[in-house]
Amino acid sequence: MDDYRAVADAVAADITAGRLRPGDRLATQRAFARERGIAGSTAARVYKELVRRGLVVGEVGRGTFVRSAEPVPGPALSEPTGARVDLELTLPAVPGQAALLAEGLRRFQRPEALDAALRPATVTGTAAARDAVARLLARDGWRPDPARLLFAGNARQAIGAALSALVPAGERLGVEAFTYPVIKSLAGRLGIGLVPIATDEHGLSPAALAEAHRLTPLRAVYLQPTLQNPFSTTMPAGRRAELAGVLRRHDLHAVEDTIWAFLPTGGPPPLAAVAPDRTIMVDSVSKRVAPGLTAGFAVVPAALTARVATAVRAGAWLPAGFALDAVTGWINDGTIDRITGLKRDDVRERQRILAGALTGFELRTDPLSYFCWWDLPAPWRAETFVAAAARRGIAVTPAAAFAVGSGSAPHAVRFGLASPPPETLARALGVLGSIARGAPEDTLAD
């Protein structure tokens, strides 16, 4: 039934009209159900729909708060179009990359080349694609065996296939206590329970993983050892070796997400190099090349190849032949290397903008990270800060979006640096700084 959508529309109208203002706390779902004369399950669907629309944000243990109506940029931002500045998404693109990519597509003007690229692709790709992607993923003396490469439509699908192969429905997956939010939705769809694993300044704790496995046996662990989202932590080589030992001793497998590992140079080798029989390494080209280009890769231990390949096929997650052919060509002609170099320069410039705009605040990031975690100053709460930023036309993500488990999320937000032009980013960060230096009641009274 669509009744819950009609109720959600009524709440949305109240937000748009200003009867519910950013920062206002909604009634509990039980009280809301009583007020509206609806079932508790319907109230839950209403709140879920409001979250989906981006109108409210919920934090465990605190409640549900109005996030934004139509964004109203304040004078400090002064965007001429009044457009929303999206610092939630992290979609790096650099000037000149389209021209570089276009040059590599000239070969498809030949009918025979285009005909070959438009044929359906398989989970194992082509020999040319496997060899090219193995070279793309190689670093610091390590290169994956091309025979161990499988392909999916994008990184999320490759991760989904890896989880499907490793963790049966009803079983548990260890994850960093604050993790990539897509893993939460993937696990829900696959019927997988998530167990938060403590982290520190070096990343996921091997001792905490072993203890969590002892208390509630796990089937695998998902992690981002390099430029972990949301903290930008990179796990040092010693910690990776220690983690590999835990995986072997406890008969666990890891899904290693290396989506941001193309940015650092000279860093530690991937976990897949340290524990090759225990690790499925996943990567893609959407961050490395262009947001709209999707092709996912998985380096899979020989013993798991058939299971992961079956999961890709069962999920209808096969790669697109044209994308895979194009990526192979861009690797071979050096285009992706050139774009990667431009992005390293771009992220350093954006980090300089960040350092200048938010000096003196508690930030967790890395000189080569496209995102930043901000532990907000008192008396700010995440939900009220998100609402205040939205009133100025800026979208940031509350800590609760990354939290796993039932504990309270900290008073923090994460924001991406990649999507807006540098000058817009500088103005937006300046506005966020001015909001944080004020009081919540002042900004909500605007």
Side-chain angles (χ1 to χ4, degrees):
M1 295 180 64
D2 292 337
D3 290 353
Y4 77 94
R5 292 193 180 95
V7 179
D9 289 342
V11 178
D14 286 341
I15 294 172
T16 302
R19 291 184 290 272
L20 286 172
R21 295 172 60 81
D24 284 353
R25 183 173 181 170
L26 300 188
T28 65
Q29 291 182 19
R30 181 178 298 177
F32 183 87
R34 285 199 304 268
E35 291 169 4
R36 303 276 175 155
I38 58 178
S41 59
T42 302
R45 296 181 74 185
V46 170
Y47 277 45
K48 185 175 181 180
E49 175 67 12
L50 293 171
V51 170
R52 188 191 67 79
R53 297 184 192 183
L55 296 175
V56 303
V57 61
E59 291 213 12
V60 175
R62 297 194 183 102
T64 302
F65 296 80
V66 175
R67 181 176 184 175
S68 67
E70 291 299 316
V72 181
L77 185 56
S78 301
E79 283 300 293
T81 63
R84 176 177 181 263
V85 180
D86 194 336
L87 301 186
E88 291 190 292
L89 297 177
T90 309
L91 304 174
V94 291
Q97 74 177 38
L100 290 171
L101 294 171
E103 186 64 29
L105 294 177
R106 290 182 184 275
R107 61 191 176 90
F108 292 121
Q109 294 177 348
R110 304 194 311 273
E112 66 277 11
L114 182 59
D115 181 63
L118 293 177
R119 293 171 186 164
T122 66
V123 68
T124 55
T126 62
R130 290 193 298 274
D131 183 68
V133 171
R135 285 186 282 109
L136 181 72
L137 299 180
R139 64 180 189 269
D140 305 311
W142 173 81
R143 181 176 184 266
D145 180 354
R148 301 275 69 82
L149 271 162
L150 298 177
F151 299 91
N154 55 45
R156 295 182 184 189
Q157 293 174 356
I159 294 168
L163 297 183
S164 296
L166 293 174
V167 189
E171 297 291 332
R172 289 170 291 277
L173 172 74
V175 295
E176 292 139 330
F178 289 83
T179 191
Y180 178 38
V182 167
I183 297 304
K184 297 161 70 174
S185 60
L186 270 175
R189 285 161 50 193
L190 295 171
I192 294 171
L194 296 182
V195 177
I197 310 297
T199 63
D200 58 23
E201 70 275 15
H202 299 307
L204 184 139
S205 164
L209 175 62
E211 177 64 9
H213 180 60
R214 184 185 70 81
L215 294 173
T216 55
L218 308 172
R219 296 299 292 264
V221 59
Y222 164 87
L223 72 162
Q224 292 181 328
T226 300
L227 294 181
Q228 188 264 352
N229 184 9
F231 294 140
S232 301
T233 307
T234 292
M235 184 181 288
R239 173 65 63 87
R240 296 179 193 226
E242 187 182 351
L243 178 59
V246 171
L247 296 177
R248 294 189 185 99
R249 286 194 300 274
H250 295 279
D251 192 26
L252 289 170
H253 287 91
V255 178
E256 177 186 21
D257 185 345
T258 61
I259 191 73
W260 293 108
F262 72 94
L263 287 169
T265 57
L271 186 61
V274 185
D277 296 332
R278 291 278 152 194
T279 306
I280 297 175
M281 175 179 156
V282 174
D283 210 322
S284 81
V285 291
S286 59
K287 308 295 188 187
R288 190 188 301 251
V289 183
L293 179 68
T294 62
F297 322 128
V299 181
V300 184
L304 297 174
T305 300
R307 286 161 58 184
V308 176
T310 298
V312 172
R313 297 187 191 99
W317 293 330
L318 290 168
F322 185 85
L324 201 54
D325 199 326
V327 167
T328 300
W330 287 324
I331 295 170
N332 290 335
D333 68 14
T335 296
I336 291 183
D337 283 343
R338 289 191 285 275
I339 291 175
T340 298
L342 292 173
K343 289 191 175 178
R344 288 175 182 144
D345 292 340
D346 179 64
V347 73
R348 290 187 184 99
E349 174 59 26
R350 291 169 185 271
Q351 282 285 335
R352 283 193 288 271
I353 292 171
L354 170 65
L358 296 180
T359 301
F361 291 108
E362 288 190 53
L363 306 177
R364 284 192 258 180
T365 189
D366 181 276
L368 283 170
S369 176
Y370 268 120
F371 44 88
C372 176
W373 179 271
W374 187 359
D375 291 301
L376 296 168
W380 282 100
R381 290 184 171 187
E383 67 275 1
T384 49
F385 187 85
V386 168
R391 283 176 59 80
R392 305 294 293 275
I394 306 169
V396 296
T397 309
F402 303 90
V404 179
S406 57
S408 296
H411 302 307
V413 296
R414 196 222 69 163
F415 51 88
L417 306 174
S419 298
E423 59 276 9
T424 301
L425 174 66
R427 288 196 294 272
L429 293 179
V431 171
L432 294 181
S434 68
I435 292 172
R437 293 182 183 96
E441 57 270 22
D442 295 336
T443 59
L444 293 177
D446 288 345

